[in-house]
Amino acid sequence: MDRALNVTRTFTPQGGVSSQRQTLSQKNAPSRGPRPKEVPMLELERLGDREVEDGAFITVAGNPSSLLSAMSWGTAASAHQPQNMSERNPSLFGYQSPHSSCRGQPLSRPPSNHQPNMETLYIDEHSQTQTYTIHTRSRKLEAEGLTVEKRKQAVIEQMMVDQLSRAVISDPEQNTANQFDVSARHRRTLHHTMVKTQKSLTENLLSHKLCFHARILSRCGREACRELTGFFFTCDHTLTVYEYRSFGKNRCSALPFIARGVYRTRGRPYCLADLSRGTDLRFSTDMPHLPESLRQRPYLTLRVTDVDEETKGTLLAQSGEREYCLSEEEINDQKTLRAVQVAVRDRLRGRAISTLISLGRRLKSLDTKNNSLIGKDELRECLMEELSLTKQDFDAVWRIVGQQGGPLVDYAEMMRAVTGEMSEIRKAIFIKVYVKLDPNKTGYVSLIDIEKFYSAKVNLHLEHDMEAKIDILSCIQDTGRVTKDVSYAEFEDYYEGLSIEISSDQEYINILKSTWSI
């Protein structure tokens, strides 16, 4: 067995000096075990310190599957296989053989005749863009849903805390029920205090409630955009309304808007059947929590926008309450108003936007006290000239709506009774658009913000003349405007007119979402 290791080096000095050889022999080399047959002897004399090295590659002798097992020992040069791996399969390593090209030239792949299909690439990019847009919208809708649910839970928790925080001992009913004649200093003692009053509540009693959302019917943007949540309690037929308000970016609170109590309509208390989407709830403005701007009005009207119908059905079944049936007079009044609205809306088609904007400005100029109240004669003149309303129709509407306000009437309510309103589904999208333009709810939107967010380059599937008529910038700027702000009332009149022109709810919603990117 060959255990000797011979190391031979060849030095070629510059200037043509003859080479010298030095041989080192290690006879007493440590024992390492037998050398496999396929591993050749290490001969260093073949290696030289030259700038141009031999381009030969070490090849694997025999079966290529023994490459891994023999890699640590080296590979043997076979005389039967003079070609290297790249010569046998150039595509395996991706470069040309060193025998066929010089070392100084860059290695490159052979040219390919494959040409990409640009149409397929465009379709793939378009589909990826659509998929990304769908995912983005779904995530945005999910986030908005979570935000709404968090606000609702915050309002419910605050309401429960307010209703349960008043102890029985501090209930005002304790003083009225006291029949003993005591001094003013000591009105009531512990012995004269009832353990439970009629109005004392528990968490179990308050759990039987119906939650609903509402908005204020007003032409003032600051009032119309209030986020109101109401609760109706079946234990005593009382209701209360809370307002969710934001103070800055990080502080939010739920404040009482209408105190809990029994409120009446048509000579009877409100019941579960009165709480449906689209119904109106009327309250007196003589309440402690209402703002001063609302106290100047004779009454406050809330429009129910959403109701938990599943909970409502359960509570109706538990209480045994029946749906309220309208009287014959109320049914006839509704038929009269519906007939007037259909006739007016048919006459307004094609010019509804400009007509409602003009009518709203004219009525606003007659409201000198800024309380939304004007006289009967002035209102009749405006409606007959702008809407071509007959005197007979005006008298019929005044008998139903105007008689509740005396000689003065809320002109906004008369406009809604004559021209009708957009559905609550459309109204929710409209308020969402307005809050985007007026996040602080000041009641006015600047023309700069409208031009900034408005996008008219959308396909509305309408005629060219109609598209020119419904463009909001042209409708607002072509009227000789002096101020640079647009009021909530004017913004609402524009989209009320657009609602008359477009009969489909989905098309109306798509227009608002496309033009304002919501």
Side-chain angles (χ1 to χ4, degrees):
M1 181 179 295
D2 188 5
R3 296 181 179 272
L5 178 64
N6 296 328
V7 180
T8 304
R9 286 193 175 184
T10 303
F11 298 95
T12 307
Q14 298 179 357
V17 183
S18 61
S19 61
Q20 298 179 358
R21 293 185 177 180
Q22 182 178 3
T23 304
L24 298 178
S25 300
Q26 297 180 357
K27 298 182 179 180
N28 299 325
S31 177
R32 297 182 181 274
R35 174 175 57 84
K37 297 180 180 181
E38 63 270 13
V39 178
M41 182 184 300
L42 182 61
E43 297 178 356
L44 298 180
E45 65 274 5
R46 298 180 57 184
L47 302 178
D49 296 336
R50 296 176 298 175
E51 293 182 359
V52 180
E53 298 178 355
D54 188 9
F57 286 84
I58 300 176
T59 59
V60 180
N63 189 5
S65 62
S66 62
L67 175 64
L68 295 178
S69 61
M71 187 61 69
S72 59
W73 290 92
T75 55
S78 176
H80 301 285
Q81 298 180 357
Q83 295 180 351
N84 52 47
M85 294 288 291
S86 62
E87 291 177 349
R88 289 183 296 175
N89 190 4
S91 61
L92 182 63
F93 296 94
Y95 51 82
Q96 296 178 354
S97 174
H99 297 289
S100 60
S101 62
C102 298
R103 185 178 180 84
Q105 296 180 355
L107 300 178
S108 61
R109 294 180 180 272
S112 175
N113 296 327
H114 175 70
Q115 295 181 359
N117 190 349
M118 301 305 296
E119 182 178 358
T120 305
L121 294 177
Y122 174 76
I123 294 175
D124 293 342
E125 293 178 358
H126 185 66
S127 60
Q128 291 177 1
T129 304
Q130 287 183 342
T131 304
Y132 175 77
T133 304
I134 293 173
H135 288 325
T136 303
R137 290 181 178 178
S138 61
R139 287 196 301 267
K140 185 182 294 185
L141 291 176
E142 184 178 357
E144 291 178 357
L146 292 176
T147 302
V148 172
E149 187 63 26
K150 288 181 180 179
R151 292 182 178 182
K152 181 180 178 180
Q153 293 299 326
V155 175
I156 293 176
E157 292 177 2
Q158 186 62 44
M159 183 273 300
M160 296 292 288
V161 170
D162 293 345
Q163 299 301 323
L164 296 175
S165 61
R166 176 179 293 180
V168 179
I169 196 173
S170 61
D171 195 330
E173 189 179 350
Q174 296 280 5
N175 296 329
T176 60
N178 188 12
Q179 300 177 357
F180 296 93
D181 187 11
V182 295
S183 62
R185 182 177 179 182
H186 304 284
R187 290 187 175 182
R188 176 166 48 90
T189 62
L190 183 61
H191 299 283
H192 300 150
T193 301
M194 295 182 295
V195 178
K196 182 179 180 181
T197 61
Q198 295 181 357
K199 296 182 179 180
S200 60
L201 298 173
T202 61
E203 187 174 356
N204 185 23
L205 291 176
L206 293 178
S207 63
H208 298 83
K209 63 182 182 300
L210 176 64
C211 179
F212 62 92
H213 297 279
R215 61 181 178 90
I216 302 176
L217 295 183
S218 175
R219 288 178 66 83
C220 176
R222 185 173 56 256
E223 311 298 342
C225 294
R226 293 182 183 269
E227 301 180 29
L228 303 180
T229 304
F231 303 93
F232 182 85
F233 304 97
T234 58
C235 59
D236 52 2
H237 291 271
T238 58
L239 64 86
T240 181
V241 179
Y242 274 71
E243 179 187 3
Y244 185 87
R245 297 186 62 182
S246 300
F247 303 93
K249 295 182 178 180
N250 300 324
R251 182 187 173 190
C252 300
S253 179
L255 303 176
F257 190 76
I258 295 179
R260 178 172 167 265
V262 178
Y263 298 95
R264 307 179 69 85
T265 177
R266 305 183 189 96
R268 58 174 181 82
Y270 280 110
C271 58
L272 282 174
D274 296 323
L275 301 176
S276 301
R277 176 181 288 184
T279 58
D280 295 341
L281 306 177
R282 183 165 293 183
F283 304 92
S284 173
T285 55
D286 188 14
M287 295 183 184
H289 302 295
L290 294 181
E292 188 63 28
S293 59
L294 293 177
R295 292 185 183 181
Q296 298 177 0
R297 304 170 62 177
Y299 50 84
L300 172 66
T301 304
L302 301 184
R303 172 67 57 79
V304 179
T305 59
D306 190 19
V307 178
D308 188 355
E309 294 293 343
E310 183 178 356
T311 304
K312 179 182 176 181
T314 304
L315 294 176
L316 284 174
Q318 293 176 356
S319 62
E321 182 180 336
R322 297 180 179 180
E323 293 286 343
Y324 174 75
C325 298
L326 298 177
S327 62
E328 185 177 356
E329 181 181 0
E330 292 173 344
I331 295 176
N332 293 332
D333 291 343
Q334 290 184 358
K335 290 182 179 180
T336 301
L337 291 179
R338 191 177 299 110
V340 173
Q341 293 173 5
V342 170
V344 171
R345 294 170 77 91
D346 289 340
R347 289 196 298 265
L348 289 180
R349 294 192 187 278
R351 57 183 183 92
I353 295 177
S354 58
T355 302
L356 292 184
I357 292 178
S358 176
L359 177 61
R361 290 173 180 170
R362 185 173 176 179
L363 294 175
K364 179 64 177 177
S365 63
L366 297 176
D367 183 17
T368 56
K369 296 183 180 181
N370 288 331
N371 56 1
S372 301
L373 300 177
I374 61 176
K376 178 179 179 180
D377 297 335
E378 297 172 336
L379 182 61
R380 181 196 298 115
E381 182 181 358
C382 291
L383 294 180
M384 292 179 65
E385 291 182 2
E386 297 290 343
L387 303 179
S388 301
L389 191 68
T390 62
K391 185 178 182 301
Q392 182 181 0
D393 291 341
F394 177 82
D395 293 339
V397 175
W398 180 269
R399 179 183 58 82
I400 299 172
V401 179
Q403 62 181 0
Q404 301 175 0
L408 299 178
V409 69
D410 187 354
Y411 67 87
E413 187 174 0
M414 284 292 294
M415 285 183 61
R416 292 191 296 268
V418 172
T419 62
E421 294 181 85
M422 67 177 75
S423 62
E424 291 302 320
I425 299 177
R426 301 187 182 193
K427 198 71 174 185
I429 301 297
F430 164 76
I431 293 179
K432 189 175 182 180
V433 169
Y434 182 81
V435 171
K436 178 181 180 179
L437 300 176
D438 185 16
N440 297 325
K441 301 177 183 179
T442 60
Y444 293 90
V445 179
S446 64
L447 286 174
I448 298 177
D449 291 338
I450 293 178
E451 295 176 353
K452 176 182 178 182
F453 291 104
Y454 184 72
S455 176
K457 297 180 179 180
V458 293
N459 186 13
L460 303 181
H461 303 287
L462 299 174
E463 297 180 359
H464 179 72
D465 296 339
M466 182 59 65
E467 291 182 2
K469 291 180 181 179
I470 69 173
D471 184 66
I472 186 172
L473 296 177
S474 61
C475 292
I476 293 177
Q477 295 176 352
D478 291 345
T479 57
R481 176 180 297 276
V482 178
T483 61
K484 295 183 179 180
D485 294 330
V486 179
S487 64
Y488 171 84
E490 190 172 359
F491 200 76
E492 184 184 34
D493 291 338
Y494 171 85
Y495 280 102
E496 285 287 356
L498 182 62
S499 180
I500 295 177
E501 301 291 351
I502 300 175
S503 58
S504 174
D505 288 343
Q506 190 61 43
E507 185 178 359
Y508 182 87
I509 293 172
N510 291 338
I511 290 175
L512 267 68
K513 288 184 176 181
S514 300
T515 52
W516 298 105
S517 301
I518 60 173

